[in-house]
């Protein structure tokens, strides 16, 4: 499972404040703690339209100075910002995201075709509103795969985000997510499935329980990457346990090592 640490996001009030104050210590600490919790990539999102490029640049340079091996997931609605930030990254990361909206593919696939180490998160959005059915998602997925092939980008570099809506407002949302995830992996086994965890629990109390159930359910249906909080020990333990259950962790070696190293918190 590829873990993309979600904490460096201006949508989180404490992070927004740290960005406004240009509080280096706060941001550097959040980066270090997520990497210590085995985040494979750090998602960075400024949440400040207009200053996106400048803020992401600030984070990239500061974090890279501490962690030369760090890999970023560049999370911006503006493809130009993603493109300019890619040049600043010492290591290949993830483009978060493309979709069929606007000129994202035209702007980002040419660079992605050249920079072969970069992975691409593709939202299953076609610009006509939120997808409500599995079939709508599949149409968008197939179009994106075709466009990628035109640029010589193999399916294995694509991480499809089927988009999940709040369980409180969209009762069939999880089943649609799972339906799309299963079908994508059946049709294109090399392609990957990714999701943010927290949309599912929006508007409900005790969100952690719903996020945890979503994570495990989605992993059992082909999700192999998540944008999540790696500092949430229970969630992280769930990832390791689910990997072992799926036969992806021989003799539970990874699970046992993580437990031994207190990755799931103090031993219980
Ligand atoms: N798909 C893609 N990109 C995305 C999302 C997605 N980027 C943004 C978002 N969704 C994922 N990122 C976050 C970041 C922070 C939070 C939720 C989603 C958040 N965090 C709480 C905090 O840190 O205070 C607590 C989290 C917890 O304890 O589990 O709310 O869907 N492609």
């Amino acid at each position: 499972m590829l873990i993309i640490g979600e904490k460096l996001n201006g949508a989180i009030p404490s992070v927004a404040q740290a960005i406004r104050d240009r509080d280096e210590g706060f941001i550097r600490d959040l980066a270090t703690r997520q990497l210590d919790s085995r985040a494979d990539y750090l998602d960075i999102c400024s949440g400040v339209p207009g200053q996106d490029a400048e803020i992401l640049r600030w984070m990239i340079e500061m974090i890279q100075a501490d962690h030369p091996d760090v890999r970023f997931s560049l999370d911006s609605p503006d493809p130009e910002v993603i493109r300019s930030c890619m040049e600043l990254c010492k290591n290949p990361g993830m483009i978060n995201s493309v979709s069929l909206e606007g000129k994202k593919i035209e702007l980002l696939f040419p660079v992605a075709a050249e920079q072969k180490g970069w992975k691409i998160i593709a939202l299953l959005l076609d610009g006509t509103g939120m997808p409500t059915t599995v079939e709508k998602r599949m149409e968008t997925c197939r179009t994106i795969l075709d466009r990628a092939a035109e640029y010589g980008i193999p399916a294995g570099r694509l991480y499809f985000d089927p988009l999940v809506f709040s369980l409180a407002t969209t009762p069939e949302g999880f089943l649609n997510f799972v339906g799309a995830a299963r079908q994508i992996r059946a049709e294109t086994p090399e392609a990957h499935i990714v999701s943010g965890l927290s949309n599912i629990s929006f508007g409900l109390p005790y969100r952690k329980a719903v996020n945890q159930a979503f994570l495990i359910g989605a992993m059992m249906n082909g999700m192999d990457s998540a944008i999540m909080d790696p500092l949430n020990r229970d969630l992280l333990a769930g990832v390791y346990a689910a990997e072992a259950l799926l036969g992806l962790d021989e003799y539970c070696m990874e699970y046992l090592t993580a437990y031994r190293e207190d990755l799931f918190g103090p031993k219980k």
Side-chain angles (χ1 to χ4, degrees):
M1 177 86 162
L2 198 85
I3 296 177
I4 305 162
E6 72 177 16
K7 299 294 269 190
L8 293 169
N9 192 317
I12 301 173
S14 57
V15 177
Q17 189 61 47
I19 290 173
R20 278 194 294 274
D21 299 343
R22 293 294 187 276
D23 183 344
E24 295 200 357
F26 186 95
I27 300 292
R28 291 167 67 188
D29 179 58
L30 263 187
T32 302
R33 283 161 57 212
Q34 291 186 95
L35 293 169
D36 286 347
S37 291
R38 312 272 170 87
D40 298 291
Y41 289 80
L42 298 184
D43 192 71
I44 50 172
C45 178
S46 83
V48 189
Q51 292 174 44
D52 218 11
E54 184 215 322
I55 292 165
L56 292 189
R57 180 191 193 108
W58 172 65
M59 288 201 208
I60 291 167
E61 288 175 347
M62 179 166 59
I63 297 167
Q64 277 186 161
D66 287 347
H67 307 281
D69 296 332
V70 68
R71 290 172 185 252
F72 293 106
S73 157
L74 303 176
D75 192 344
S76 169
D78 183 345
E80 293 287 4
V81 169
I82 294 183
R83 210 157 66 160
S84 67
C85 287
M86 284 173 76
E87 292 170 17
L88 304 171
C89 294
K90 289 188 188 139
N91 306 301
M94 298 181 97
I95 291 168
N96 189 12
S97 53
V98 303
S99 70
L100 297 180
E101 292 176 314
K103 294 248 166 288
K104 292 192 179 204
I105 287 195
E106 289 76 2
L107 281 165
L108 289 167
F109 275 7
V111 234
E114 271 173 39
Q115 313 265 330
K116 295 189 180 8
W118 284 74
K119 301 180 194 300
I120 302 155
I121 296 179
L123 305 182
L124 296 182
L125 284 173
D126 67 356
T128 68
M130 291 295 182
T132 51
T133 63
V134 172
E135 201 36 53
K136 185 87 196 147
R137 288 172 168 87
M138 291 310 299
E139 278 170 26
T140 306
C141 176
R142 292 182 194 116
T143 308
I144 294 173
L145 281 167
D146 288 346
R147 301 298 314 270
E150 287 166 22
Y151 287 91
I153 298 169
R157 288 178 57 200
L158 294 173
Y159 285 70
F160 288 105
D161 184 336
L163 303 173
V164 67
F165 306 116
S166 166
L167 177 60
T169 55
T170 316
E172 72 288 2
F174 175 70
L175 295 177
N176 282 335
F177 176 96
V178 161
R182 294 176 75 101
Q183 205 169 326
I184 292 166
R185 299 220 74 167
E187 287 183 16
T188 315
E190 325 84 83
H192 303 274
I193 306 292
V194 66
S195 173
L197 293 194
S198 51
N199 287 351
I200 191 74
S201 59
F202 194 76
L204 289 170
Y206 196 39
R207 295 181 65 175
K208 282 182 199 316
V210 181
N211 293 348
Q212 177 97 15
F214 171 74
L215 171 77
I216 308 300
M219 283 181 72
M220 296 295 156
N221 286 284
M223 186 176 81
D224 60 353
S225 174
I227 306 171
M228 57 176 267
D229 180 2
L231 306 181
N232 180 333
R233 312 287 195 155
D234 294 332
L235 216 47
L236 196 64
V239 168
Y240 278 78
E243 290 248 280
L245 288 168
L246 284 164
L248 300 170
D249 179 11
E250 216 176 341
Y251 300 110
C252 306
M253 287 305 284
E254 303 283 343
Y255 178 87
L256 292 169
T257 307
Y259 177 77
R260 208 176 294 130
E261 293 174 358
D262 288 344
L263 204 62
F264 309 149
K267 291 190 182 57
K268 292 168 186 148

